Amino acid sequence: MLRVGIIGVGAMGTQHFLRLMTRINNATVTAVSDVNEARAREVTAPYESVRFMADPIALIRDTEVDAIVIVSADKTHEEFCLEALRLKKFIFCEKPLSASSEGARKVVDAEMAGGKRLIQLGFNRRFDEAYQELKELVVSGRLGEPLVAHCAHRNADYPEAFDDVVAVTGTAIHEIDTMSWLVGDYFTKAQVIFPKTTKYSKNPNLHDPQIVLLTTSSGMVITAEIWVNCQYAYDIRCEVLCEDGTATLPRHARVNVCTKNSSSVGMTSDGLGFFEESYNREFQAWVDACNEDTYCAAAASAWDGYCAAVTTDACLKSQISGGIEDVPLTDRPDFYKG
Ligand code: ISE
């Protein structure tokens, strides 16, 4: 039984906590830490065996914690990963790996220096069946070489505090990692374009929508539309244009209702619910790998987190310059192959 400590029980952390307590086999949560003690105590109240620990570093060091789940504020991920690596504990870290590419590099270097892969990064779409099917088709070569991909990442609405930086480091980062995984390549150029902004943007520092343009090392171009106050629902789209045809991400199955001269299919605004099954599979894979004292090869690694951070840094630069920015990435080191 894997004994897990969770740092951060906001909306997503709470779901991960409940997932580990009720849905995932061979794991239990022994300790929880959060800056909001009242919230943490409320979330864990039904489970008497779960301890609250105010100090996240003490939680990482606790002898009844074998593995750490990091779902705290983005700026804390790097420090918590470094401490858990130092103690050679398994880590599930939600994206981003660090708030900066320099920070992400430090984590990668520390993991390589320790000689053991301990970090699984929370890019859950790798566990989504629709994306897996799309990737399988694209890499099979049945449609020829992929040339272009069009992605859309739409949220119904964004919290008021979220700005252009979060639109890239919190939202576009999913498209960045997913597309790099899907086509098995990394990016060399990035540009962000600001069209006219919607009246629903609540933050003067948030352009919405924005278009992220990415070029891969093989010359493929990805367009990722990031529209975080689209109002209508949570909506994720992806179409890959290949030499002999196109492949489009299937929509999640919903009942189609026809009535009074109309035809409609329900949608949800809940992003966590939208990908619920992939989160469950992602966590079960992580727990199974930890219990076997190994890592899950299908999951994102610290290297993937580093690549995403270098790419998002280039996007942030482009948001300011308006131009095409270099993404200074190189091939995956052997340590992170396989
Ligand atoms: C959030 O952090 C996520 O991970 C969601 O998947 C994304 O849709 C949202 O825009 C982000 O803020």
Side-chain angles (χ1 to χ4, degrees):
M1 180 71 74
L2 187 74
R3 298 170 308 172
V4 179
I6 300 188
I7 309 177
V9 277
M12 178 171 254
T14 297
Q15 291 212 2
H16 289 343
F17 169 71
L18 295 174
R19 192 184 319 286
L20 282 160
M21 293 309 266
T22 62
R23 296 286 304 261
I24 304 299
N25 298 321
N26 305 318
T28 190
V29 179
T30 47
V32 162
S33 184
D34 194 283
V35 285
N36 184 341
E37 178 171 348
R39 156 107 191 160
R41 290 200 183 277
E42 190 188 318
V43 169
T44 57
Y47 303 93
E48 272 174 24
S49 56
V50 183
R51 276 177 302 140
F52 171 75
M53 299 182 72
D55 179 3
I57 297 292
L59 176 144
I60 295 170
R61 293 178 185 164
D62 196 90
T63 52
E64 284 171 22
V65 169
D66 310 312
I68 323 291
V69 172
I70 302 172
V71 208
S72 44
D74 294 0
K75 62 177 189 308
T76 63
H77 294 186
E78 178 188 335
E79 180 196 354
F80 298 154
C81 279
L82 289 173
E83 180 62 11
L85 283 176
R86 194 181 67 78
L87 296 166
K88 299 214 175 304
K89 294 199 176 183
F90 288 107
I91 303 155
F92 179 97
C93 180
E94 269 305 338
K95 52 87 190 165
L97 182 57
S98 160
S100 71
S101 55
E102 293 79 15
R105 184 75 221 195
K106 265 194 221 157
V107 178
V108 159
D109 288 345
E111 190 178 44
M112 288 203 282
K116 183 174 179 185
R117 293 229 338 229
L118 291 167
I119 298 180
Q120 178 170 322
L121 210 73
F123 284 127
N124 64 296
R125 291 194 196 167
R126 293 166 187 237
F127 293 88
D128 178 79
E129 285 180 337
Y131 269 111
Q132 287 172 344
E133 199 182 324
L134 183 62
K135 176 179 168 68
E136 241 172 69
L137 177 63
V138 171
V139 300
S140 74
R142 293 208 296 279
L143 291 178
E145 281 290 306
L147 311 169
V148 172
H150 298 299
C151 314
H153 188 138
R154 300 180 187 156
N155 290 180
D157 76 327
Y158 227 28
E160 201 176 335
F162 286 13
D163 59 6
D164 280 342
V165 173
V166 188
V168 163
T169 60
T171 302
I173 196 169
H174 283 293
E175 305 311 311
I176 288 168
D177 176 71
T178 302
M179 292 318 295
S180 156
W181 161 79
L182 203 145
V183 301
D185 203 351
Y186 58 89
F187 302 113
T188 53
K189 305 262 179 226
Q191 184 179 18
V192 179
I193 292 170
F194 293 145
K196 194 167 160 182
T197 283
T198 168
K199 65 181 178 193
Y200 295 110
S201 172
K202 299 176 212 80
N203 186 319
N205 295 317
L206 175 69
H207 293 79
D208 189 31
Q210 31 192 294
I211 312 293
V212 176
L213 296 172
L214 301 161
T215 307
T216 69
S217 80
S218 77
M220 200 183 157
V221 170
I222 318 282
T223 70
E225 169 218 297
I226 308 301
W227 187 15
V228 290
N229 289 287
C230 81
Q231 305 297 297
Y232 68 87
Y234 189 83
D235 195 6
I236 301 294
R237 301 177 181 209
C238 180
E239 182 182 22
V240 186
L241 281 54
C242 305
E243 289 165 313
D244 294 308
T246 72
T248 303
L249 187 72
R251 294 300 193 88
H252 289 230
R254 297 261 166 182
V255 173
N256 182 285
V257 178
C258 293
T259 180
K260 293 191 177 109
N261 299 323
S262 76
S263 158
S264 62
V265 179
M267 297 186 85
T268 178
S269 294
D270 171 17
L272 290 173
F274 189 97
F275 280 115
E276 171 74 12
E277 284 310 313
S278 67
Y279 287 120
N280 289 339
R281 278 194 285 273
E282 179 185 36
F283 265 81
Q284 191 62 64
W286 177 64
V287 166
D288 290 348
C290 295
N291 280 330
E292 285 164 27
D293 196 23
T294 182
Y295 63 89
C296 171
S301 63
W303 181 258
D304 297 305
Y306 166 70
C307 292
V310 173
T311 311
T312 54
D313 271 6
C315 292
L316 294 176
K317 256 180 152 177
S318 174
Q319 282 181 329
I320 293 163
S321 71
I324 301 173
E325 299 291 341
D326 284 333
V327 181
L329 280 172
T330 52
D331 269 332
R332 187 174 291 271
D334 287 344
F335 185 78
Y336 289 108
K337 284 185 182 151

